[in-house]
């Protein structure tokens, strides 16, 4: 989450009046974590909400897919926050010139150093998500899939070397190897594609919320597992956390199962995920407006993960 668009108290109060039973504005605070959309924590006289204004990589035309997906998952009992509809039944609003949604707040906290127990339940939650979307008919292509990484690398260009000397050549070489080995015959489904610890809310080792579905798409199902492994099995600086990666895989496999072909593909899928997040973090690092209320994330933490996967091909055995 982040804040690029500032919302006045007057505009927010008028916005809330579109809804029945959400109460009157008490306070609103911008949330600096994340890099995609503008987000506010909104307290009213009746409840707490998240206000999201969509910008940057989120195409307004994709919002019906995201909201239908959240409704589908909520109907199947998953702890997700569907958007609230206004008095006319409309979920997607406009505020300060941006598409916007009011989303019910979920209790729980995001962990920064997950334990094996937390990783296991989070992995099981991803498995439950994949099971729940088996009959979901909506879809969108992955706008940041393997075919998009080289164009993004080209756009970053030699500016990558301002982040770390030789970074462009290092990523170029790693990407060529991933492209050559990328699997094209594994099962696909709707995936979250961004299930980092900050997108999972927990109380102890219990998952209370799965949030931020704005990269959700149809792609290789095991790629979702690989993305989650790269995000959970390491600390924020990219150092591995003992026992967390195996626990996550065990939790997922217990809930959904992993075929031999999917497990064999996880090393290249994980290296690909490292490249994807290294590049998008690098692009945001280079391109984020100076006045944006946003916490930029270190691209090099994903270079360290990539190096670890190169040195530990047995990680998914």
């Amino acid at each position: 989450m982040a804040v690029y668009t500032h919302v006045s108290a007057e505009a927010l109060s008028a916005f809330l009046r579109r809804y029945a039973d959400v109460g009157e504005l008490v306070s609103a605070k911008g949330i600096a974590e994340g890099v995609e959309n503008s987000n506010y924590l909104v307290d009213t006289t009746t409840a707490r909400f998240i206000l999201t204004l969509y910008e940057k990589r989120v195409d307004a035309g994709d919002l019906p897919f995201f909201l239908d997906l959240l409704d589908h998952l909520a109907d199947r009992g998953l702890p997700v926050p569907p958007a609230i509809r206004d008095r006319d039944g409309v979920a997607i609003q406009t505020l300060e010139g941006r598409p916007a949604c009011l989303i019910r707040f979920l209790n729980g906290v995001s962990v920064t150093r997950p334990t094996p127990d937390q990783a296991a339940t989070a992995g099981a939650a991803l498995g439950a998500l994949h099971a729940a979307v088996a009959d979901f008919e909506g879809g969108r292509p992955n706008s940041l899939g393997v075919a998009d990484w080289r164009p993004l690398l080209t756009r970053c260009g030699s500016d990558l070397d301002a982040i770390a000397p030789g970074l462009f050549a290092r990523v170029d070489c790693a990407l060529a190897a991933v492209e050559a080995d990328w699997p094209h015959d594994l099962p696909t489904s709707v995936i979250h594609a961004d299930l980092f610890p900050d997108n999972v809310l927990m109380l102890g080792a219990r998952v209370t919320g799965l949030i931020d579905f704005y990269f959700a798409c149809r792609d290789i199902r095991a790629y979702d597992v690989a993305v989650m492994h790269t995000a959970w099995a390491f600390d924020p600086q990219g150092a591995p956390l003992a026992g967390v990666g195996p626990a996550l895989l065990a939790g997922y496999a217990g809930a959904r199962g992993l075929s031999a072909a999917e497990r064999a593909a996880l090393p290249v899928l994980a290296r690909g995920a490292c490249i994807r997040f290294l590049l998008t973090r690098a692009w945001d690092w280079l391109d984020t407006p100076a006045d944006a209320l946003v916490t930029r994330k270190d691209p090099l933490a994903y270079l360290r993960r990539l190096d670890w996967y190169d040195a530990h091909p047995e990680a998914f055995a």
Side-chain angles (χ1 to χ4, degrees):
M1 299 181 178
V3 175
Y4 299 94
T5 299
H6 294 277
V7 179
S8 69
E10 295 78 9
L12 182 51
S13 293
F15 177 84
L16 293 175
R17 287 195 288 271
R18 302 177 194 177
Y19 299 85
D21 303 323
V22 303
E24 298 180 2
L25 178 66
V26 173
S27 66
K29 179 182 179 181
I31 303 172
E33 289 79 10
V35 293
E36 298 306 321
N37 303 308
S38 293
N39 290 273
Y40 291 84
L41 182 64
V42 176
D43 285 301
T44 74
T45 51
T46 63
R48 172 170 282 183
F49 304 92
I50 299 293
L51 169 68
T52 297
L53 288 78
Y54 299 98
E55 23 205 337
K56 290 180 71 87
R57 300 189 189 100
V58 177
D59 184 337
D62 289 332
L63 289 177
F65 163 76
F66 298 137
L67 300 185
D68 287 349
L69 175 59
L70 287 171
D71 286 342
H72 178 92
L73 294 172
D75 286 346
R76 280 148 183 80
L78 270 74
V80 300
I84 299 169
R85 285 166 168 75
D86 70 7
R87 298 173 191 273
D88 297 320
V90 177
I92 304 169
Q93 309 287 336
T94 300
L95 179 61
E96 302 289 5
R98 299 285 192 272
C101 286
L102 190 66
I103 299 168
R104 196 165 301 281
F105 179 82
L106 296 178
N107 288 317
V109 297
S110 300
V111 298
T112 55
R113 293 182 66 91
T115 66
D117 284 347
Q118 289 170 328
T121 55
L126 181 64
L129 189 158
H130 286 170
V133 298
D135 60 345
F136 180 66
E137 296 181 355
R140 65 182 284 272
N142 189 348
S143 59
L144 283 167
V146 63
D148 302 286
W149 300 337
R150 187 158 295 280
L152 181 54
L153 174 62
T154 300
R155 288 200 299 275
C156 291
S158 60
D159 288 346
L160 286 177
D161 293 341
I163 298 174
L167 184 57
F168 178 89
R170 173 72 176 86
V171 176
D172 183 42
C173 180
L175 178 54
V178 164
E179 289 169 331
D181 294 340
W182 195 256
H184 297 283
D185 56 355
L186 293 177
T188 63
S189 76
V190 169
I191 65 173
H192 185 285
D194 193 36
L195 202 57
F196 278 54
D198 57 2
N199 289 333
V200 178
L201 304 178
M202 309 193 80
L203 290 174
R206 179 168 63 90
V207 173
T208 60
L210 304 173
I211 63 174
D212 280 11
F213 281 76
Y214 304 115
F215 288 112
C217 58
R218 285 196 179 272
D219 206 332
I220 296 171
R221 191 169 60 216
Y223 174 65
D224 219 9
V225 180
V227 167
M228 197 173 182
H229 193 278
T230 71
W232 284 74
F234 303 85
D235 70 16
Q237 289 71 46
L241 297 171
V244 170
L248 186 145
L249 293 177
Y252 179 86
R256 180 62 180 165
L258 272 171
S259 71
E262 287 175 318
R263 192 175 287 272
L266 284 173
V268 66
L269 296 173
R271 295 199 307 274
C274 289
I275 292 169
R276 176 262 195 253
F277 287 101
L278 188 160
L279 287 173
T280 52
R281 285 184 175 196
W283 179 259
D284 290 327
W285 190 274
L286 297 168
D287 194 53
T288 297
D291 60 348
L293 177 59
V294 55
T295 303
R296 296 189 301 178
K297 296 183 178 179
D298 180 13
L300 299 182
Y302 262 90
L303 182 64
R304 290 187 282 274
R305 288 166 167 86
L306 180 61
D307 289 340
W308 188 88
Y309 286 118
D310 284 342
H312 297 84
E314 76 289 352
F316 298 104

